[in-house]
Amino acid sequence: MTMFNRLAFRATTAVAALALTATAAFAEDRVSATHAFPTFLVYTKTFLAMVDDINERGKGIVQIDVRGGPEAIGMFQQPAAVRDGVVDMVHIPGSFYGASVPEIDAMVAATVTPLEARANGGAAAMDMAHQERFGVRHLGWIDGGVKFHIYTSTEPKFDENGVLDLTGVKLRDNPIYHAFFEALNATTASMPATEVYAALEKGVVDAAAWTEIGLMDLKWDEFMKYAVEPPFYNTDIGVIFNKESWDALSPESQELIEQVVIEWEEKSYNDRQETVKADRAELEKRGMQFVAMSDEGAAAYLKLAEDAAWGRMETRLQEMGDDGSSYETMRKLYHPE
């Protein structure tokens, strides 16, 4: 090979190497994701809209591929799937894995909004608890500010103290309010939301708790005719991301995803306040009766709910060997006096 040919070869090789380096530097990150609820629910619609926002703004940086919802991975199996890296990101209620990250109950019983928790350090503390206990990042609290009602097919009864009496009521259970229902001595049956319509139709259950919104999407209002006041707890739906997968993303991808999730944390909170009003008006139009307790009964009812959530969190943390510092930190950040 002549001197000229050798120089030409080296130049060509250098250009090729530079091109490969540039291509690698600007390669899009790919993220796999699932969501716990079916696509027709408002919560999933929020998540999918947020993903679209990330993908639009992340062209050339990062793209999220949504693999589906509970039909792809069972809703109660999704926490383990993201922890183990089967998928990178999951949109899911924290209570579905609360036994592993007890701090999630702080969101359930919170008296602050997602925006306030973001500002006062609560969101950062929640993220750190997820990293240490479950190997995931907790990126944001989505569709917050929505509470729960107990809906029944028969007129609710109240005890001598004016508190809801669930004796003899067959109630659909769920991890977020299981401790509360135990405190109310309810007879419960745990099942995914996707199975409740058939259970109501067959009489397996005749009552269920659900959020202030979305009941009509599930068509449970075909059977439920009463909603117990006051509402209790908060939705604890978040976006969690496998820690190793997160660390493998480029800094640009991390920054973009975090920025968009935080924006949607606020946007979804504001949007859901309007949805709550609209859904209540439509339910009343369809004949739903909102049955209120006495002031004393309502106060006792809410106290029972609050104590059940914070008590469960404290017990779980103690069983993990926590010295009480995590409990006190979360209480201060999510339930300031």
Side-chain angles (χ1 to χ4, degrees), residues 193-227:
T194 50
E195 297 177 9
V196 176
Y197 183 91
L200 287 165
E201 191 174 38
K202 296 173 184 177
V204 175
V205 297
D206 45 31
W210 190 253
T211 57
E212 297 171 285
I213 63 176
L215 194 78
M216 293 173 286
D217 294 333
L218 292 163
K219 303 186 186 305
W220 295 1
D221 61 304
E222 293 179 15
F223 307 96
M224 310 293 201
K225 302 304 176 186
Y226 302 89

Side-chain angles (χ1 to χ4, degrees), residues 148-150 156-159 161-166 180 184 227-232 290-305:
F148 292 80
H149 283 294
I150 291 178
K157 300 176 182 179
F158 303 93
D159 64 20
N161 298 313
V163 177
L164 179 67
D165 183 0
L166 292 175
F180 179 37
L184 290 171
V228 178
E229 296 267 50
F232 61 97
F290 287 79
V291 182
M293 299 180 202
S294 65
D295 291 345
E296 295 79 8
Y301 180 74
L302 293 177
K303 180 70 162 54
L304 201 61

Side-chain angles (χ1 to χ4, degrees), residues 8 13 47 57 126 171 220 240 280 323:
T13 303
F47 175 67
R57 293 157 66 174
M126 189 64 70
L171 187 72
W220 295 1
I240 58 177
R280 178 167 182 137
D323 61 1

Side-chain angles (χ1 to χ4, degrees), residues 317-337:
L317 286 170
Q318 288 173 346
E319 290 172 349
M320 290 180 173
D322 187 81
D323 61 1
S325 58
S326 185
Y327 174 86
E328 292 300 329
T329 296
M330 289 297 176
R331 183 95 189 196
K332 183 184 301 182
L333 294 170
Y334 282 87
H335 196 286
E337 300 300 337

Side-chain angles (χ1 to χ4, degrees), residues 1-300:
M1 182 181 292
T2 67
M3 176 71 71
F4 176 80
N5 287 338
R6 285 199 298 271
L7 290 173
F9 176 77
R10 289 173 183 171
T12 302
T13 303
V15 169
L18 185 61
L20 286 172
T21 301
T23 301
F26 292 99
E28 283 184 332
D29 284 321
R30 307 297 299 195
V31 172
S32 61
T34 59
H35 46 84
F37 296 125
T39 55
F40 60 78
L41 279 182
V42 61
Y43 305 114
T44 306
K45 290 177 181 178
T46 297
F47 175 67
L48 295 177
M50 184 182 72
V51 167
D52 287 343
D53 193 5
I54 292 172
N55 286 344
E56 178 62 30
R57 293 157 66 174
K59 290 178 180 177
I61 302 171
V62 61
Q63 294 291 290
I64 298 175
D65 303 312
V66 179
R67 294 184 178 177
E71 78 285 352
I73 301 176
M75 62 173 62
F76 295 132
Q77 284 71 54
Q78 289 189 27
V82 68
R83 178 199 63 198
D84 298 340
V86 176
V87 291
D88 300 317
M89 183 169 77
V90 167
H91 171 256
I92 195 163
S95 295
F96 285 10
Y97 55 88
S100 298
V101 188
E103 287 88 347
I104 203 70
D105 273 325
M107 288 169 60
V108 172
T111 57
V112 298
T113 68
L115 287 66
E116 291 167 335
R118 175 71 58 183
N120 72 9
M126 189 64 70
D127 178 33
M128 186 56 63
H130 277 70
Q131 291 188 52
E132 292 177 352
R133 299 192 190 280
F134 208 55
V136 301
R137 294 286 316 277
H138 189 277
L139 300 182
W141 183 2
I142 306 300
D143 282 333
V146 181
K147 295 185 179 295
F148 292 80
H149 283 294
I150 291 178
Y151 300 92
T152 69
S153 59
T154 57
E155 188 170 0
K157 300 176 182 179
F158 303 93
D159 64 20
E160 65 276 8
N161 298 313
V163 177
L164 179 67
D165 183 0
L166 292 175
T167 302
V169 177
K170 295 173 290 184
L171 187 72
R172 178 257 178 171
D173 201 359
N174 182 277
I176 192 169
Y177 29 69
H178 177 72
F180 179 37
F181 290 169
E182 279 190 328
L184 290 171
N185 297 315
T187 300
T188 63
S190 182
M191 65 186 72
T194 50
E195 297 177 9
V196 176
Y197 183 91
L200 287 165
E201 191 174 38
K202 296 173 184 177
V204 175
V205 297
D206 45 31
W210 190 253
T211 57
E212 297 171 285
I213 63 176
L215 194 78
M216 293 173 286
D217 294 333
L218 292 163
K219 303 186 186 305
W220 295 1
D221 61 304
E222 293 179 15
F223 307 96
M224 310 293 201
K225 302 304 176 186
Y226 302 89
V228 178
E229 296 267 50
F232 61 97
Y233 288 164
N234 301 283
T235 49
D236 61 344
I237 302 171
V239 176
I240 58 177
F241 206 110
N242 178 273
K243 183 66 167 56
E244 291 185 3
S245 298
W246 179 263
D247 290 341
L249 295 176
S250 70
E252 293 80 8
S253 296
Q254 293 175 349
E255 182 179 2
L256 176 65
I257 293 171
E258 283 187 316
Q259 178 182 339
V260 175
V261 170
I262 290 171
E263 289 175 11
W264 277 84
E265 194 172 62
E266 180 172 2
K267 173 177 167 48
S268 65
Y269 174 83
N270 293 331
D271 288 348
R272 294 297 77 78
Q273 307 319 298
E274 297 305 314
T275 311
V276 168
K277 296 175 186 175
D279 267 33
R280 178 167 182 137
E282 181 60 29
L283 283 170
E284 289 179 330
K285 183 178 177 181
R286 295 186 184 191
M288 178 75 71
Q289 297 184 46
F290 287 79
V291 182
M293 299 180 202
S294 65
D295 291 345
E296 295 79 8

